[in-house]
Amino acid sequence: MATQSSLKILEVSTISPSSDTPNTASEISLPLTIFDLFFLKTAPIEVLSFYSHANLDHFSFDSILSKLKHSLSLTLPHFLPLVGKLTWPPDSQKPIIHYTPGDSISLTIAESDANFDSLSGDHVTEARNFCHLIPHLETSDSKASILTLQVTLFSNKGFCLGVVANHAVLDGKAMSLFLDSWAYISKLDKDSTLLPELTPFIDRTAVKYPATLDSMFSDGFLATNSRSLKPQNFEDPTEDIVRCTFKLSRADIEKLRKRVFSWGDKVGDEAKTKTVEPFQLSTFVLTFAYIMVCVAKAKELESNKLICLYIPANYRSRLDPPVSTNYFGNCAGAGGIVAQARELMEEIGLANAAYRIIDGIKKIEGFLDEAEKWIKLATGQMGAEGSQTLPEIITVAWSNKFKDYERDFGWGRPQKVALTNIHRTRATTIAESKNGNGGVEVGVVLKKHEMDLFASLFVTGLQSL
């Protein structure tokens, strides 16, 4: 198996927002919304971006670090919630984000002797090999940091930018906006002015929903949890947990689309409701229909075993009134679909899954109408009565709309972008294709023996289309 890699810490420093911007001189307090509260105890968002840089030595690395630090300082005044702390005042119903002038974020500079090509590749890799590249986010019962960074040098190969953020403060879209804005300022290398499409909207009062949801969450949370800001204890991956990136080209997706269309008339009402309107078989629908089929077969599930796919959705445009597309916080709804393993293992399993996902996406519109159910799930009040009844769960993270491979800080696009919190949550990621061919990359985490079978099924399934 993999050899143990060593990490040498070169520097630990703090980066403050540039004082040239007047708004950094004032305190800011922002309440968490119900969308934030859903993620209060979840694992932080962890994004690793690998940049290939041949002949990279300490001298050229220092130049890159100087540019990163300066541009980050210029970017942070636009994103002050990231610089503050998450606190839970005794007289407050829910936690708040509090920024005080002088606050800063932690930046660790390190050097690794690990295999850069292995970590930045798409093949099967032990998930634990990435742990030393992920900076630690300081969290206590009463106070939690919101953002921390690590830049790791791989001599003569490149470097890795590790960004970890508290999920109770922002979602994937907001994280992507921050990274895009930072990259823009770094590459421009002039001033801190952002384009309108990169400028965050941080007013959380714009998110409208019934006020009773906050008290419902607080009452439910405190009934089953202490008043602590520490996230749920997610264990680091063991040696038998591996990750791999699987690719679907535009041609692959079109083949999947044609196959589902050809089976449409065979799908029963239990998978396709009679109220389904004319639809578009999107890349997302086809990708996760195929993933569901491969997971069911790779895990060799019992025929009556339930598989649940949790589908996230950007809720910014779905709110009434809608909020800015650049709203900086959590604003994601969710929907869930359930299928029996036998439905996915049938000849028309791909179509069964696709039609169920389409129905599930339509029902996301009523996410807030079912807020009580989601609050009970988030606060631990709702769960399976026995371990034998637990479904196989597939959770979707990230989005192929985030354009990760267009993020250029001034030294080229990343060779690899990986979401590593999925190593503990076992979620599955979807991202745009690195080569820009209209396809997608899917990050999967499984046990080693399951991954071997999944990989074989994934490849042979596409070849049979």
Side-chain angles (χ1 to χ4, degrees), residues 20-35:
D20 294 339
T21 308
N23 68 327
T24 61
S26 302
E27 287 192 24
I28 296 176
S29 289
L30 298 171
L32 296 190
T33 71
I34 189 63
F35 291 100

Side-chain angles (χ1 to χ4, degrees), residues 121 157 309 399 436:
K157 282 292 186 177
L309 175 71
S399 171

Side-chain angles (χ1 to χ4, degrees), residues 11 28 31 50 54 97 172 186 205 209 218 235 244 301 326 348 379 385 395 399 421 431 438 451:
E11 173 191 338
I28 296 176
F50 294 87
I97 302 163
S186 177
T205 64
Y209 56 89
S218 180
E235 296 181 356
C244 186
L301 301 178
N326 285 356
I348 61 169
T379 57
E385 296 180 356
T395 304
S399 171
N421 44 296
M451 186 68 82

Side-chain angles (χ1 to χ4, degrees), residues 27-100:
E27 287 192 24
I28 296 176
S29 289
L30 298 171
L32 296 190
T33 71
I34 189 63
F35 291 100
D36 298 316
L37 294 172
F38 284 135
F39 295 97
L40 186 59
K41 303 296 285 186
T42 60
I45 301 174
E46 303 168 356
V47 182
L48 299 183
S49 301
F50 294 87
Y51 289 87
S52 180
H53 196 301
N55 303 316
L56 181 65
D57 56 20
H58 282 269
F59 179 78
S60 52
F61 186 52
D62 285 344
S63 176
I64 288 173
L65 288 177
S66 178
K67 187 180 182 70
L68 274 175
K69 291 177 180 179
H70 178 64
S71 59
L72 178 60
S73 180
L74 294 177
T75 305
L76 289 177
H78 298 282
F79 295 88
L80 289 179
L82 294 178
V83 189
K85 296 290 188 291
L86 190 63
T87 65
W88 197 339
D91 59 346
S92 176
Q93 186 182 64
K94 57 186 179 180
I96 64 170
I97 302 163
H98 187 72
Y99 164 78
T100 302

Side-chain angles (χ1 to χ4, degrees), residues 440-455:
V440 293
E441 297 182 356
V442 182
V444 177
V445 177
L446 292 169
K447 292 182 179 179
K448 179 66 169 62
H449 70 278
E450 294 171 341
M451 186 68 82
D452 290 341
L453 185 51
F454 181 96

Side-chain angles (χ1 to χ4, degrees), residues 23 48 61 76 92-94 106 141 144 149 152 183 186 225 265-266 300 314 323 374 434 449:
N23 68 327
L48 299 183
F61 186 52
L76 289 177
S92 176
Q93 186 182 64
K94 57 186 179 180
S106 175
D141 289 332
L149 307 170
T152 306
S186 177
N225 300 269
D265 294 339
K266 298 181 181 180
E300 300 178 319
N314 182 6
V323 296
W374 292 103
K434 176 168 54 181
H449 70 278

